[in-house]
Amino acid sequence: MWLAAPPITSSRVWARSTAGAATTAGLAMGHGGNVLLSATGTVTAGSINTTGGGGLGSNAGRNAGTVTITGAGIDLGASSITASGGAAAATTSQTGGTGGTVTLTSTGGVTRAAGGTITASGGSGGTTNGAGGNAGSITVANSGTGDIALGALTAKTGAALGTGAGGTAGSISVTNNAAGANLTTLAIDTVGGAGGNGGSVTLASQAGVTVTGTLNTSGAALTAGTRTGSHAGNVTITGVDRSITGNITASGSAANGTNQAGGNAGAVNITGSGTLNTAAISAQTGLATGTGAGGTAGSIALTGTTTTAGALTTTGGSNGAGGNVSATASTGLLNVTGAITTSGGTAQTNTAGRSAGTVTLTGNSVTTVAITANGSAGSGANRAGGNGAAVAVNGSGGNVS
């Protein structure tokens, strides 16, 4: 019999609590143990590892333990938190372990030095036809005072192998309800492992939101067996001034096999009352096969007082419709520096063409480059073509170029 590692619990009523490295990771065939750190003052955490052990013989991967930290301030310093599922035994059809639930709750901010990386992913399935492990989740919430500063955040499903199913998607949610306080992270990744759906990402702050790096919630393809495409997670970002330095991708994956549907695209919504600067954004449906349906179209919606964005792409994959794009600068310049493309996807043999998504650009003045919103041609005899979509560019007080 294999047991879970014992939990680590530290509760303090002191003004400050400092914890060294905490490891409850399971060895082979052992589940990870839970970690709980709590104080009425600031919690300074060392690195934490609650990862599940790998499966042996013909066994599934083991599950990660949970991580819960609560305090009037959390200092991650140069530390990391890892709560991932273990891989299933090789050459089996067993399932990977489930990622853990990571929850940080503070009333005085969350800080970091060189660390702050949090990972809660599922384990890989066995190499025959193993299902991927379920992703974990990451939830960080702050109120009262103080900024939230985090490193890279990752919550992915484990990779499926062969005809194994993808794991259940996880999620990442970071919320700073402290008045006038900011939220910053490095790259964010909820992409599905092979055959898995992407997880949703929600970032919300009463002041600025900055993501230094890419943000990817796409589904992942698995070119084995007969399967529909995997779905992307949605992206929701709210705050005052917002900046995302890397590309945002929320696209469905390709299907595999005969007449299979493509994966759904995600909805990307970045709203707020201040400036917005973002790199390219893509929310496309996955490629369908044969007469398989296209995935559900994605969408992009951006608002700011002034708004700058890279290329915006919601083009449908094969048999998929294009998604709608809207971008608004309420008082200043709307500047889209890359092409906007919302066209319908290529029709597969003996299917109708797909329709494009609408494009709506509004600003005091608007600068943009190429905009394409075409329907695709039908394929085969007597197959209708897709509809083109409306494009509206509105400058309320300045130039449109």
Side-chain angles (χ1 to χ4, degrees):
M1 178 181 294
W2 291 271
L3 301 175
I8 293 177
T9 301
S10 176
S11 297
R12 299 286 186 267
V13 295
W14 303 335
R16 184 178 181 89
S17 176
T18 301
T23 300
T24 62
L27 300 177
M29 295 295 295
H31 297 297
N34 300 332
V35 170
L36 169 64
L37 303 175
S38 178
T40 58
T42 299
V43 176
T44 300
S47 290
I48 298 172
N49 187 352
T50 67
T51 295
L56 294 178
S58 58
N59 288 281
R62 278 5 194 192
N63 301 333
T66 63
V67 177
T68 305
I69 305 176
T70 304
I74 297 172
D75 182 6
L76 298 176
S79 302
S80 60
I81 299 173
T82 307
S84 294
T91 69
T92 71
S93 294
Q94 293 290 339
T95 301
T98 296
T101 299
V102 178
T103 306
L104 278 61
T105 306
S106 174
T107 57
V110 180
T111 60
R112 74 180 191 97
T117 297
I118 305 175
T119 304
S121 296
S124 296
T127 55
T128 303
N129 293 302
N134 298 337
S137 64
I138 299 170
T139 303
V140 181
N142 181 61
S143 59
T145 63
D147 296 336
I148 292 178
L150 300 169
L153 306 177
T154 304
K156 301 160 61 79
T157 63
L161 281 299
T163 58
T168 301
S171 63
I172 294 175
S173 174
V174 184
T175 303
N176 196 348
N177 284 322
N182 298 312
L183 185 166
T184 64
T185 77
L186 299 182
I188 297 175
D189 186 1
T190 62
V191 175
N197 296 331
S200 63
V201 171
T202 302
L203 307 176
S205 175
Q206 297 298 309
V209 177
T210 300
V211 179
T212 303
T214 57
L215 197 165
N216 197 338
T217 67
S218 296
L222 177 56
T223 55
T226 298
R227 64 180 72 235
T228 60
S230 301
H231 307 317
N234 296 330
V235 176
T236 305
I237 301 175
T238 57
V240 181
D241 297 331
R242 291 136 295 137
S243 173
I244 302 91
T245 66
N247 293 345
I248 299 173
T249 309
S251 296
S253 77
N256 196 69
T258 303
N259 300 329
Q260 297 298 304
N264 298 340
V268 178
N269 294 288
I270 308 177
T271 59
S273 58
T275 62
L276 170 60
N277 290 275
T278 183
I281 303 174
S282 179
Q284 300 179 256
T285 62
L287 304 176
T289 61
T291 58
T296 300
S299 62
I300 299 171
L302 312 176
T303 65
T305 52
T306 62
T307 299
T308 300
L312 306 176
T313 307
T314 59
T315 307
S318 58
N319 289 356
N324 298 334
V325 169
S326 66
T328 300
S330 60
T331 61
L333 172 65
L334 170 60
N335 182 21
V336 182
T337 61
I340 301 174
T341 311
T342 67
S343 297
T346 301
Q348 298 280 46
T349 301
N350 294 323
T351 61
R354 267 37 181 192
S355 299
T358 61
V359 177
T360 305
L361 307 179
T362 305
N364 181 270
S365 56
V366 179
T367 301
T368 186
V369 291
I371 301 174
T372 307
N374 295 330
S376 64
S379 176
N382 302 317
R383 302 294 177 176
N387 297 326
V391 175
V393 182
N394 305 304
S396 61
N399 296 327
V400 172
S401 61

